[in-house]
C-alpha cells in the first residue's frame, strides 16, 4: 500500500512569509504527527492530530499550527517565518497514535528560509 | 521529567564486525522504547520497539535491543554490520499517563561502515 506522502519536498521562502506543508497518511491511519529536524536541535515533536483533533503538542510557538481533515490528510502551517525555521519537517502516520504504535514517516519537506 | 541520551554521536565499524549503539533514558513512568533508522534524505523507519513484553527485542535487518530497567538502558546491537547499515539511528521514548503522553528523541548516532 502507498506510504506517507509529503508535499512539497523542497521549498524556499523569505522571512516574514508563511508556508503550508501537506501530509497524506497511509490509508486507514487516523493519527498524523509532525516533527521538526535541524542539525542543532535534532528531532522535535510539533503536534499530533487524531481523528481531526489535536491530541498533543510540543513546545513550539503559536506560529506553528496544524489541522487534519476528515480523510486524515493533515496540513501544517508556519506563519511569519524566521531564519531558524529552516529545517526538515517530517510527518508520520500511525494506526494507534504516537504513544502506542508504530510510526510510518514520510520523506519530509525541506524548508529553507532566506 | 523524561529524557533520552544516546551516548555516542558517531560510531565507526568495519563491515562484518558487531555494532553497538547505546541509549539511556529517564522517565517517571513505565516507558515504551523504540529505535528508528534514517538514511540520507529519507524519513525514519522503525527498527524495533519495546512495550513491556520480552526484554530482548528483535527487529528488522538483524538488529536487536535489550531493555534493562535497572540500568535504564535500551542498547541496540547487530552481530555483523553491512554497508547498508550506514545511517543515523535514533532512540525514542514515550510515556503515557492519564490522557496525556510525552515523546522524546535522542540526539542520534551516525553509523559509518568501513569496507
Amino acid at each position: 500500500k502507498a506510504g506517507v506522502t509529503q508535499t512539497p519536498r523542497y521549498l524556499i521562502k523569505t522571512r516574514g512569509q508563511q508556508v503550508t506543508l501537506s501530509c497524506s497518511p497511509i490509508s486507514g491511519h487516523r493519527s498524523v504527527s509532525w516533527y521538526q529536524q535541524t542539525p542543532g536541535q535534532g528531532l522535535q515533536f510539533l503536534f499530533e492530530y487524531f481523528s481531526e483533533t489535536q491530541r498533543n503538542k510540543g513546545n513550539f510557538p503559536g506560529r506553528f499550527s496544524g489541522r487534519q481533515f476528515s480523510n486524515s490528510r493533515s496540513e501544517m502551517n508556519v506563519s511569519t517565518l524566521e531564519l531558524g525555521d529552516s529545517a526538515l519537517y517530517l510527518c508520520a502516520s500511525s494506526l494507534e497514535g504516537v504513544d502506542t504504535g508504530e510510526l510510518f514517516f514520510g520523506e519530509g519537506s525541506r524548508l529553507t528560509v532566506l | 521529567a523524561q529524557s533520552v541520551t544516546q551516548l555516542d554521536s558517531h560510531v565507526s565499524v568495519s563491515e562484518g564486525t558487531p555494532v553497538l549503539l547505546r541509549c539511556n533514558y529517564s522517565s517517571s513512568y513505565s516507558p515504551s522504547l523504540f529505535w528508528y533508522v534514517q538514511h540520507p534524505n529519507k524519513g525514519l523507519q522503525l527498527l524495533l520497539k519495546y512495550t513491556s513484553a520480552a526484554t530482548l527485542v528483535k527487529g528488522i535487518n538483524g538488529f536487536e535491543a535489550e531493555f534493562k530497567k535497572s540500568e535504564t538502558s535500551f542498547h541496540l546491537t547487530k552481530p555483523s554490520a553491512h554497508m547498508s547499515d550506514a545511517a543515523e539511528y535514533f532512540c525514542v521514548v514515550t510515556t503515557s499517563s492519564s490522557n496525556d503522553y510525552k515523546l522524546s528523541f535522542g540526539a542520534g548516532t551516525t553509523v559509518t561502515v568501513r569496507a
Side-chain angles (χ1 to χ4, degrees):
Chain A
K1 55 184 175 183
V4 178
T5 303
Q6 291 189 245
T7 58
R9 289 293 313 280
Y10 302 91
L11 65 167
I12 300 173
K13 294 286 187 178
T14 57
R15 281 182 298 174
Q17 287 187 311
Q18 73 165 8
V19 66
T20 298
L21 309 177
S22 178
C23 175
S24 294
I26 291 171
S27 177
H29 286 192
R30 292 185 293 166
S31 163
V32 174
S33 50
W34 289 88
Y35 306 82
Q36 182 194 67
Q37 186 175 26
T38 61
Q41 299 297 318
L43 269 162
Q44 297 183 87
F45 170 72
L46 280 155
F47 33 66
E48 179 193 15
Y49 286 85
F50 192 95
S51 295
E52 302 180 65
T53 301
Q54 189 179 85
R55 187 166 168 245
N56 203 348
K57 66 189 299 289
N59 296 321
F60 278 81
R63 299 186 298 108
F64 293 81
S65 62
R67 59 178 175 168
Q68 187 180 31
F69 303 94
S70 58
N71 62 357
S72 292
R73 188 178 72 84
S74 177
E75 288 182 347
M76 189 192 89
N77 185 77
V78 188
S79 62
T80 320
L81 284 166
E82 301 176 359
L83 295 178
D85 297 332
S86 293
L88 179 66
Y89 290 89
L90 293 164
C91 87
S93 78
S94 170
L95 188 62
E96 301 170 333
V98 169
D99 56 329
T100 61
E102 179 177 349
L103 299 178
F104 295 82
F105 283 82
E107 295 192 334
S109 293
R110 185 167 295 280
L111 170 66
T112 301
V113 181
L114 302 177
Chain B
Q2 176 175 292
S3 67
V4 185
T5 303
Q6 291 184 239
L7 298 170
D8 308 289
S9 59
H10 186 250
V11 168
S12 180
V13 299
S14 297
E15 191 175 23
T17 64
V19 181
L20 169 64
L21 305 183
R22 298 180 293 167
C23 173
N24 285 94
Y25 70 92
S26 67
S27 173
S28 302
Y29 302 94
S30 296
S32 293
L33 296 149
F34 308 81
W35 275 99
Y36 282 84
V37 61
Q38 184 179 32
H39 288 91
N41 301 312
K42 297 291 185 182
L44 279 70
Q45 180 186 19
L46 180 69
L47 282 176
L48 47 80
K49 63 180 179 181
Y50 166 79
T51 53
S52 76
T55 57
L56 183 62
V57 182
K58 293 189 182 300
I60 62 171
N61 301 336
F63 284 95
E64 64 180 39
E66 186 172 9
F67 173 70
K68 291 187 177 180
K69 186 176 181 179
S70 61
E71 299 177 11
T72 60
S73 70
F74 190 56
H75 300 336
L76 180 71
T77 60
K78 182 173 180 177
S80 176
H82 190 272
M83 296 299 288
S84 60
D85 295 327
E88 189 161 19
Y89 293 78
F90 294 93
C91 182
V92 181
V93 177
T94 65
T95 53
S96 298
S97 62
S98 301
N99 295 319
D100 193 17
Y101 66 84
K102 188 169 174 58
L103 168 72
S104 300
F105 287 88
T109 299
T110 300
V111 172
T112 302
V113 182
R114 303 185 302 272

